[in-house]
Amino acid sequence: MAEFTQADMDWLSGPHVTRAWFGEFDLPTGIHYLHNGVGEVEVEGQTYVGVTDPVGGLLVGISAVEDPRFGQAAKVDIILSGVNVEFFKSVKRDARAIEGRSATLRFGAFDPETGQIKLFKSMFPGKMSAPTLHRQGVGTRYVGLTVESFWEAQNFPFGGKWNDADQRRRYPGDKGLQFVGVKVAEKWN
């Protein structure tokens, strides 16, 4: 995860700073540079194409990007809602080809005075899962895509295992896992 200085944090706390996500996606049709806003934006010599079109009903939702910690597997969920039939079919056709390809999310913030990107930090490198396709009602379609970090596929916490001995090593005195894998018989009087 990118480090933010105190000066960055102070600037971001301003009332008119606009935040945006920028992504580099390795799709079957090639590398695509996209952002979750409207129109094209050039950052560091690269043009990012906006994927939101509020007039056309296409909206993008991006879940919180969390810093991975012990016991937490980081992932970012991206939802494209209001997609047209052609795009929906193309995603269905290419779903398996998308799975496992690289994706990098970058955090950007526009300076309210100049309209230019003031902060641009690489936040989340990962791999894309196979997209999920959803239909609601007659005409509402949306596509879900998860960008997974290396730790997303782990079924145990980074730096350990889910057992009593390892839990006590991490957190002395914690008895939360002492009955994992133990058959428990209850007696009711």
Side-chain angles (χ1 to χ4, degrees):
M1 299 283 293
E3 294 294 324
F4 287 91
T5 65
Q6 187 58 46
D8 292 341
M9 299 301 285
D10 292 342
W11 182 75
L12 285 170
S13 67
H16 301 293
V17 174
T18 305
R19 296 155 185 90
W21 285 104
F22 295 82
E24 177 182 327
F25 297 92
D26 179 17
L27 297 174
T29 55
I31 304 288
H32 291 269
Y33 297 90
L34 307 170
H35 74 93
N36 68 325
V38 179
E40 294 184 355
V41 177
E42 187 170 325
V43 184
E44 297 180 354
Q46 183 61 54
T47 301
Y48 289 80
V49 178
V51 292
T52 295
D53 178 9
V55 177
L58 179 65
L59 299 174
V60 178
I62 299 176
S63 68
V65 179
E66 298 179 16
D67 188 12
R69 302 283 182 203
F70 286 158
Q72 176 183 343
K75 68 181 177 107
V76 178
D77 294 315
I78 300 170
I79 302 293
L80 297 166
S81 64
V83 298
N84 62 30
V85 174
E86 294 81 24
F87 180 76
F88 195 81
K89 287 180 179 179
S90 73
V91 171
K92 184 175 182 177
R93 182 186 64 239
D94 295 334
R96 293 292 166 228
I98 291 171
E99 187 173 15
R101 291 180 170 266
S102 68
T104 300
L105 294 177
R106 292 179 173 83
F107 175 80
F110 291 93
D111 186 335
E113 294 177 5
T114 65
Q116 299 297 313
I117 295 286
K118 184 171 182 178
L119 273 179
F120 193 67
K121 296 189 180 258
S122 183
M123 295 287 289
F124 195 89
K127 304 257 183 215
M128 291 179 275
S129 68
T132 58
L133 303 165
H134 306 273
R135 286 189 190 128
Q136 290 180 335
V138 178
T140 305
R141 291 170 294 279
Y142 63 96
V143 174
L145 181 69
T146 299
V147 179
E148 303 173 341
S149 74
F150 173 75
W151 303 112
E152 169 67 13
Q154 303 297 319
N155 63 356
F156 56 87
F158 173 74
K161 296 182 181 176
W162 287 116
N163 61 35
D164 185 47
D166 211 41
Q167 183 72 0
R168 287 181 187 225
R169 179 187 59 81
R170 285 188 301 272
Y171 306 104
D174 186 345
K175 297 179 182 180
L177 295 176
Q178 77 183 77
F179 294 111
V180 170
V182 175
K183 289 184 181 182
V184 177
E186 292 186 52
K187 265 185 148 178
W188 292 78
N189 291 331

